[in-house]
Structure formats: structure tokens, C-alpha cells
Amino acid sequence: ENQTFVTEFILLGFPSLQKVHVLIFVGVLVIYILTVTGNVIIIATVVNDNTLHKPMYFFLGNLSFLGIIYVSVTTPKFLASLLDVKKSISIAGCKAQAFSHFFLGSTELFLLTSMSFDRYIAICNPLHYSTIMSGKLCAQLSFGSWMGGLLIVFVQTVLVFRLPFCGPNIIDHFYCDVGPMLKLACTDTRHIEKLVFTVATMVLFSTSFLTVISYVAIIFTILRIPSTSGRQKAFSTCIAHLTVVTMLYGAIIFMYLRPRGHTSLNMNKVVSLVNTLVTPLLNPFIYTLRNKEVKTALKKTMTRN
């Protein structure tokens, strides 16, 4: 009863790089602007060009929309903290940031799994592709991905929002993550930590399992194609999605599943920064550089404007 509850957290960010904070600010700001601009262009192109009204580009539009929100959850506050000596964030703001980051991360995994299912149908069952991947099914998969991400984090979010914080209020990170927050709570959080870990593990392994199964079937189907050009053409439709999946799961495995003590906390923060800032920037480029349909649509859009 005599405890004093804290009203804000302090985000340390990268204190060892204090002397180059201005350069980091400029670099992060440029990347943020490019990320938002690139994803907005992708969404506008998919919406305005009838040739891109296909399941694959429907999911790409969803992924770009998610990328804009995802990068906006952490980056503006990180930019402000680079120029702010205090680097504070309110308790409510920190909890909201942690919830949004977890929610959007889970949704992204579900969306990428839906895209792997789309590629599986397109290559392994091309004659029935348009029938199976109907507009209704695409809408259901998209809605299910967003609602799945929301439901996944709902229970632990309610529990985290009710936690009292009355002790240390320093988070050694550049954004609010659930793990560091739980360590600062002035109550026993072991049951919440177990719940968060269990849910995150279930989401990670279920989505990765479905994605791997889809690509195993895709690879076997491609290998049965008699012509080399046919195999290359089939594989080229998957390379962008496969690249994004590899980058995302690689970052997640490094941050959360590697053996403890093998890397420094600063390295973990760098990988987190890449995952939350650079990956959303690369997504539009990855999906457009090798895609003739998107490049043609972009040229038409630019010419029209």
C-alpha cells in the first residue's frame, strides 16, 4: 500500500551510440519515409490496376498496409527519443506499443502463411486455381489473419494492462516489448511469461510448419515440370514470397530462439531494428523487382500521373 507506482518508462535505445544519434535519426527518418511511401505506392497500384486484381496481389496489398502500421508503431517514438535526453514513454503508451507490435507481428505470420497457400494452389493445382482462390476465400483468409492476430494477443494483453509497476522503470530497448515490461512489474509474472511464450511458440511453429509443407509440395511439383524454362517460370512466382518469409523467420529465430548468452543485447536490438524498420522497407522492392506485372502496372500508374 505504501508503494509509489511509476507513471512512465525510460527507453534507453542505443546509449553507446550517443555521439552519432543525429546521424541515426537522419538515417531512420529517411528509411521510415521510404517505407511508408513505397508501401502506399504498392497499395495504390494494386487497387487502381485491374490486372493486379488477383489473390497474390490482394495479399500483397494487405502486407503493405500492415507494413505501414507496423513501422509506424515504433519508429516515430524512436525518432523522438533520439533527440530527447529523457526518452520517456507513458505506461499506457508503452503497453499499447507492446500490444500493437505483438498483434501486427502475429498477423504478418498469418498473412504470409495465407500467401504460401495461394502459391501452393497456383503451382500444384493450376487448373482449379481461380475456382479455389475465389474472392470470398481471399477475403476470409485476410480477415482471419487480422482477427487471428488480434485474438492471439487479447488474453495476454488484458493481463499485461492490469500489471502494476512500482519499481525500476528503465527498458534497455528502443521500443516497448512484452518481455522487458514483465521484468519491471512489481508482482509475480511467471504465469504471464509462460502464457506469452506458449502462444508465441504456437503461432511461430504452426505458421512455419504450414509454410514449409506448402513449399515442399511446391518444390516437388516444380521438379516434375519437364522444361527448364517452365521450372524457372514456376519458381519465379514464389521467390519474392520465399525471400520475405526467410528474412522474417530468420530474424525471429535469432531474437527469440537462439541459445542465451551467445550474442550481446546490443546485437539483439540491432536485429530488432532491422526487423521492425528495414524489412517493411524491403518488402515493396522484393515484390516488384522481379515481378513484370507489378512493374508494368507501376509504369502505367506513373505515366497516368
Side-chain angles (χ1 to χ4, degrees):
E1 293 181 0
N2 295 327
Q3 289 176 328
T4 302
F5 291 95
V6 299
T7 59
E8 63 183 18
F9 287 124
I10 307 300
L11 296 172
L12 287 185
F14 297 89
S16 60
L17 301 177
Q18 185 71 41
K19 294 181 180 179
V20 292
H21 269 194
V22 175
L23 291 178
I24 296 175
F25 175 87
V26 174
V28 170
L29 179 61
V30 170
I31 293 174
Y32 178 62
I33 293 173
L34 289 175
T35 300
V36 174
T37 303
N39 282 289
V40 167
I41 291 174
I42 289 294
I43 294 172
T45 303
V46 170
V47 170
N48 294 325
D49 197 296
N50 292 330
T51 62
L52 299 184
H53 290 178
K54 300 176 182 179
M56 180 171 66
Y57 303 115
F58 173 77
F59 291 120
L60 177 57
N62 271 266
L63 194 64
S64 293
F65 178 67
L66 183 143
I68 294 172
I69 304 175
Y70 190 67
V71 75
S72 298
V73 165
T74 57
T75 306
K77 182 58 186 175
F78 178 47
L79 286 170
S81 69
L82 286 171
L83 302 180
D84 183 9
V85 177
K86 195 176 181 183
K87 308 178 188 304
S88 63
I89 182 171
S90 67
I91 296 291
C94 196
K95 291 177 179 179
Q97 192 180 70
F99 159 75
S100 301
H101 194 263
F102 200 170
F103 158 58
L104 294 170
S106 300
T107 302
E108 184 175 15
L109 292 176
F110 290 137
L111 279 174
L112 289 173
T113 303
S114 298
M115 294 175 78
S116 67
F117 175 72
D118 170 70
R119 292 299 83 206
Y120 163 75
I121 299 297
I123 293 176
C124 300
N125 203 352
L127 297 179
H128 298 92
Y129 176 72
S130 58
T131 304
I132 297 174
M133 294 301 297
S134 61
K136 181 180 180 180
L137 179 60
C138 290
Q140 289 174 339
L141 288 172
S142 174
F143 180 77
S145 296
W146 287 93
M147 286 304 299
L150 184 62
L151 293 174
I152 283 296
V153 302
F154 179 76
V155 175
Q156 52 262 46
T157 299
V158 171
L159 295 174
V160 171
F161 267 66
R162 295 173 62 185
L163 289 175
F165 296 92
C166 53
N169 66 335
I170 297 176
I171 297 178
D172 193 3
H173 217 310
F174 66 91
Y175 71 93
C176 293
D177 201 1
V178 175
M181 284 183 63
L182 292 177
K183 293 179 181 178
L184 298 179
C186 52
T187 186
D188 187 3
T189 61
R190 284 176 295 179
H191 63 292
I192 303 179
E193 291 177 7
K194 290 179 181 178
L195 176 63
V196 171
F197 178 79
T198 301
V199 170
T201 303
M202 288 175 59
V203 172
L204 179 61
F205 281 99
S206 62
T207 54
S208 62
F209 175 76
L210 292 173
T211 301
V212 168
I213 291 297
S214 297
Y215 271 98
V216 167
I218 287 170
I219 291 172
F220 276 110
T221 301
I222 290 176
L223 291 176
R224 288 199 295 266
I225 298 176
S227 65
T228 303
S229 60
R231 289 195 295 271
Q232 291 176 343
K233 184 178 180 181
F235 186 72
S236 66
T237 65
C238 303
I239 189 65
H241 176 257
L242 192 57
T243 301
V244 171
V245 167
T246 302
M247 289 173 55
L248 178 61
Y249 280 100
I252 292 174
I253 290 171
F254 180 89
M255 289 187 293
Y256 300 111
L257 299 182
R258 74 184 191 278
R260 295 293 180 184
H262 280 214
T263 53
S264 66
L265 179 60
N266 282 333
M267 180 58 69
N268 191 63
K269 288 190 285 187
V270 169
V271 175
S272 297
L273 184 63
V274 171
N275 188 46
T276 56
L277 186 64
V278 179
T279 301
L281 168 67
L282 294 179
N283 283 351
F285 296 100
I286 291 172
Y287 278 104
T288 56
L289 288 178
R290 294 176 59 88
N291 192 305
K292 293 181 180 179
E293 287 183 311
V294 177
K295 286 192 288 187
T296 301
L298 280 172
K299 287 179 182 178
K300 288 196 296 184
T301 301
M302 299 299 292
T303 304
R304 209 178 293 151
N305 294 333

